[in-house]
Amino acid sequence: MPKHILLVEDSVTMQKVVQIAFAREDYQIVSTTSADEALARSKEHRPDVVVADTSLPGKSGYDLAAALRAEAATKDVPILLLTGNFNPYDEQRGQKAGIDAH
């Protein structure tokens, strides 16, 4: 049975990159483009891991992580944040939000 990755990325290009990276692995990727949509999807089906962009329209990846940590069903789901050169990882925000890796 494949593991489920919840990918939260507003760039179609980056969605494709992640899909290609996991194409030969036993993972099913569900893509969303916003934190709110990701929260709704995580309630429908608990992901095994969340991969999210730091900068999303509306709520950020940090906000999403904090919201996932606040829910009993998703508080232990590993969260990986994707960062770029224009938005480097904020260690303090990441620790506060409960990020596992970046």
Side-chain angles (χ1 to χ4, degrees):
M1 175 176 272
K3 294 198 182 265
H4 292 74
I5 296 175
L6 178 57
L7 174 61
V8 191
E9 175 61 68
D10 58 332
S11 164
V12 174
T13 301
M14 287 305 298
Q15 285 181 11
K16 292 291 184 194
V17 168
V18 173
Q19 289 170 355
I20 290 168
F22 287 98
R24 294 188 178 184
E25 305 298 328
D26 195 20
Y27 288 96
Q28 178 181 2
I29 299 175
V30 174
S31 297
T32 65
T33 58
S34 72
D36 289 332
E37 184 181 359
L39 286 170
R41 288 283 182 104
S42 70
K43 291 177 183 177
E44 294 169 10
H45 190 278
R46 183 184 181 275
D48 293 300
V49 65
V50 174
V51 178
D53 190 0
T54 54
S55 56
L56 297 165
K59 296 176 184 165
S60 72
Y62 299 102
D63 297 329
L64 171 61
L68 290 168
R69 293 290 181 240
E71 294 288 329
T74 55
K75 68 180 177 134
D76 296 324
V77 172
I79 301 170
L80 170 68
L81 278 192
L82 300 174
T83 61
N85 291 336
F86 295 111
N87 295 313
Y89 183 70
D90 184 329
E91 192 71 43
Q92 186 174 14
R93 280 183 79 186
Q95 286 179 353
K96 186 176 178 183
I99 304 300
D100 294 292
H102 63 89

